[in-house]
């Protein structure tokens, strides 16, 4: 990546209301330090938290705060401003602004500019954790993502209220890095990434199966992030109801043996394998041809062990970089490190699961472990974590070769 991917880029920074608005002042300074030309637009609510003069001093441009400011319109009309922008970044983006953007409502200067501009849009959400988790906000965010709007964060951790959870604005340096990653060179260009995602279903009879709570979100986020970082991505997915990320080749499977075959077929062609699937460790020894009937007695199912896909890949002589996951309910780090060693992986991403965490949630918290190293990724949405995981993988691959293909 060049040292200044944002150099000379004309960025329109939209600031919406919320206590995190004060961080937008430092963000303005950091964007300028990164070489960008920045103009700031405040929503009416943002002006209650930080004054326009602060942003004027930091950006070196007059600040716009309303659609009906005649003097400002005479200096640069809002349509001209929309054309001036090469990127639009809204930070902090409140639940209200996200909702208005999702529905194409243009009832103030900032939302009007977003509709009138062809510039790529990025939003850095900041709001109360329950507002972030609300189905309406999540649906609005999904709608924005489906229109290729980049969503940076939010981060987890303590909020202004005495609560803790996802909803915090990312730190200004993280937002600048996120924007640079979106618009800078793509670090995985030319690489082939294989991702496994979702659960496996092991049939008992034609109507019943043994499965697990994996929704596929983590693996699909990794596939999307890898494609966003320039990789050619093949995704092997267990039975899930998720749309295929743009630019990703998807192969659907049902059970562990099918997943193993699909993965093994791709391994010779891939540079990085990320095993995010929750593969069933066992399957019924026999699948009944017809629906099992009640007998009035206890039913004993004999289970056979499934192949360990990630361990089989890691045991190959010629192998890609192999990253596994560890889903644990207790002694998470110790168990994950032992899996890293036992399965011969290059990296393992440990997550605590159960009681609504890890599985089937929008966000997650990961501890990345590798031989002699560790990185803690704070609670964030799965796409943000996926980008960080891939950055760590790229950094480890760049180190002098172990056994994996370079
Ligand atoms: O899908 P989501 O709802 O988003 O949830 C995400 C997740 C919790 C499923 C994900 O983050 C995760 O932890 N995936 C791995 C789940 C798992 O099976 O963990 P494990 O500790 O049992 O397995 C360790 C590793 O071995 C994993 O990389 C797994 O893919 C692999 N494995 C396990 C068994 C097996 N037979 N073959 C394997 O390859």
């Amino acid at each position: 990546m060049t040292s200044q991917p944002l150099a000379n880029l004309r960025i329109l920074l939209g600031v919406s209301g919320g206590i995190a608005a004060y961080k937008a002042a430092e963000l303005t300074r950091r964007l300028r330090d990164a070489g960008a030309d920045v103009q700031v637009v405040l929503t009416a609510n943002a002006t209650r938290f930080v004054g326009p003069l602060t942003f004027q001093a930091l950006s070196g441009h007059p600040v716009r705060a309303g659609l009906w400011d005649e003097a400002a319109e005479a200096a640069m009309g809002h349509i001209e401003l929309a054309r001036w922008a090469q990127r639009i970044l809204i930070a902090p983006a409140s639940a209200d602004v996200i909702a208005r953007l999702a529905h194409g409502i243009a009832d103030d200067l900032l939302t009007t500019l977003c509709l009138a501009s062809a510039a790529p849009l990025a939003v850095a959400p900041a709001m109360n954790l329950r507002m972030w988790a609300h189905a309406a906000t999540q649906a609005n965010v999904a709608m924005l993502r489906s229109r290729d709007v980049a969503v940076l964060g939010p981060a987890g951790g303590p909020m202004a209220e005495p609560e803790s959870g996802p909803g915090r604005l990312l730190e200004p340096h993280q937002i600048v890095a996120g924007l640079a990653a979106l618009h800078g060179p793509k670090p995985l260009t030319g690489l082939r990434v294989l991702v496994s995602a979702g659960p496996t279903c092991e049939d008992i009879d034609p109507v019943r199966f043994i499965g697990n709570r994996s929704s596929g979100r983590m693996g699909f986020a990794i596939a999307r992030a890898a494609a966003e970082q320039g990789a050619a991505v093949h995704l092997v997915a267990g039975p899930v109801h998720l749309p295929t990320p743009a630019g990703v080749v998807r192969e659907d499977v049902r059970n562990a043996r099918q997943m193993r075959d699909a993965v093994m077929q791709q391994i010779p062609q891939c540079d990085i394998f990320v095993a995010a699937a929750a593969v069933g460790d066992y399957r019924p020894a026999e699948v009944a041809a017809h629906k099992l009937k009640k007998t009035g007695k206890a039913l004993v199912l004999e289970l056979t062990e499934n192949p360990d896909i990630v361990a089989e890949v890691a045991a190959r002589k010629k192998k890609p970089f192999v990253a596994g996951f560890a889903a644990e309910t207790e002694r998470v780090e110790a168990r994950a490190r032992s899996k890293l060693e036992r399965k011969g992986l290059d990296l393992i991403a440990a997550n605590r699961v159960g009681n609504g965490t890890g599985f089937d949630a929008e966000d997650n918290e990961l501890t990345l472990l590798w031989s002699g190293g560790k990185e803690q990724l704070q609670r964030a949405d799965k796409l943000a974590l996926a980008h960080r995981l891939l950055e760590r993988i790229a950094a480890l691959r760049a180190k002098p070769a172990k056994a994996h293909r370079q």
Side-chain angles (χ1 to χ4, degrees), residues 213-218 275-281 306-310 324-328 339 343 351 353 358-360 364 382:
R213 295 174 197 272
S214 170
S215 63
R217 286 195 183 98
M218 191 69 241
V279 186
D281 287 328
N306 269 327
D308 192 314
I309 304 168
V310 81
F325 270 73
E328 303 292 345
K339 261 179 200 167
K343 297 195 184 208
N351 47 187
V353 293
F359 282 118
D360 203 14
N364 203 0
K382 287 180 174 172

Side-chain angles (χ1 to χ4, degrees), residues 1-26:
M1 188 173 287
T2 63
S3 55
Q4 284 217 311
L6 302 182
N8 303 321
L9 203 62
R10 298 193 301 269
I11 299 178
L12 185 85
L13 173 62
V15 181
S16 65
I19 185 62
Y22 78 94
K23 286 192 185 174
E26 190 194 336

Side-chain angles (χ1 to χ4, degrees), residues 310-311 314-315 319 322 338-346 402:
V310 81
K319 58 179 173 171
V322 186
S338 117
K339 261 179 200 167
L340 172 81
E341 285 157 15
R342 186 160 32 88
K343 297 195 184 208
L345 311 179
D346 295 299
K402 229 175 92 184

Side-chain angles (χ1 to χ4, degrees), residues 258-271:
Q258 290 167 352
M259 184 171 277
R260 182 234 165 246
D261 292 348
V263 164
M264 288 307 164
Q265 179 110 39
Q266 293 302 319
I267 284 300
Q269 299 90 260
C270 90
D271 301 291

Side-chain angles (χ1 to χ4, degrees), residues 277-332:
V279 186
D281 287 328
Y282 290 92
R283 67 177 185 276
E286 274 174 33
V287 182
H290 298 286
K291 186 179 169 190
L292 294 178
K293 296 287 167 207
K294 279 206 286 191
T295 60
K297 290 193 230 137
L299 173 70
V300 178
L301 276 180
E302 192 190 332
L303 302 179
T304 306
E305 207 168 286
N306 269 327
D308 192 314
I309 304 168
V310 81
E312 189 176 335
V313 172
R316 285 169 67 102
K317 214 163 151 215
K318 206 150 189 256
K319 58 179 173 171
F321 184 100
V322 186
F325 270 73
E328 303 292 345
T329 54
E330 55 175 348
R331 299 184 52 231
V332 177

